[in-house]
Amino acid sequence: EVQLVESGGGLVQPGGSLRLSCAASGFPFSTFAMSWVRQAPGKGLEWVSGISNGGRSTGYADSVKGRFTISRDNAKNTLYLQMNSLKPEDTAVYYCAGARRYGYVVRNQDKSAYDAWGQGTQVTVSS
């Protein structure tokens, strides 16, 4: 069974940091490009960041560039998102998603673009 399980969300003050993790199972993780996609309250899905299957290429939305860092550990079948200098507008449910793509970053917020999608973890940035 294909499964993605996010963790690490929570409540943090503006300017704080969080590290999200996404544990993958049931598919060959190292052959999948991975992304983080978020959905703020009352809004649509927004692509946040992506990483190629081998980890050599990464991409970020302009709204998070310079503050968030995506990484992966293929030996542990785990994807990460380090989030620094958090802002209230980063409040959202964060989903990890995987696509059977080789060698490039998937920059897409649509669920239909992915072969695997997690249940999400809530991140709330508030004082």
Side-chain angles (χ1 to χ4, degrees), residues 60-126:
Y60 299 91
D62 288 343
S63 58
V64 306
K65 199 171 293 183
R67 300 187 297 122
F68 290 11
T69 302
I70 191 171
S71 62
R72 65 190 296 163
D73 185 337
N74 284 348
K76 295 182 178 179
N77 288 354
T78 304
L79 175 73
Y80 304 100
L81 185 68
Q82 178 67 44
M83 305 187 295
N84 298 329
S85 302
L86 282 161
K87 304 175 181 180
E89 51 263 45
D90 294 318
T91 295
V93 177
Y94 284 72
Y95 300 94
C96 68
R100 196 176 289 107
R101 303 289 186 275
Y102 223 80
Y104 66 93
V105 174
V106 175
R107 299 172 183 263
N108 197 319
Q109 70 275 8
D110 293 334
K111 198 171 181 179
S112 62
Y114 297 93
D115 301 291
W117 189 273
Q119 292 301 306
T121 186
Q122 175 70 47
V123 171
T124 303
V125 185
S126 175

Side-chain angles (χ1 to χ4, degrees), residues 1-102:
E1 177 187 3
V2 173
Q3 197 169 17
L4 293 172
V5 179
E6 302 94 336
S7 62
L11 174 64
V12 63
Q13 292 187 342
S17 298
L18 281 175
R19 188 194 196 200
L20 304 184
S21 298
C22 172
S25 61
F27 65 96
F29 181 71
S30 64
T31 68
F32 275 52
M34 299 298 295
S35 295
W36 287 98
V37 178
R38 68 185 180 186
Q39 186 165 28
K43 297 189 177 181
L45 293 169
E46 176 190 17
W47 178 82
V48 173
S49 181
I51 187 167
S52 61
N53 66 293
R56 291 184 178 182
S57 299
T58 59
Y60 299 91
D62 288 343
S63 58
V64 306
K65 199 171 293 183
R67 300 187 297 122
F68 290 11
T69 302
I70 191 171
S71 62
R72 65 190 296 163
D73 185 337
N74 284 348
K76 295 182 178 179
N77 288 354
T78 304
L79 175 73
Y80 304 100
L81 185 68
Q82 178 67 44
M83 305 187 295
N84 298 329
S85 302
L86 282 161
K87 304 175 181 180
E89 51 263 45
D90 294 318
T91 295
V93 177
Y94 284 72
Y95 300 94
C96 68
R100 196 176 289 107
R101 303 289 186 275
Y102 223 80

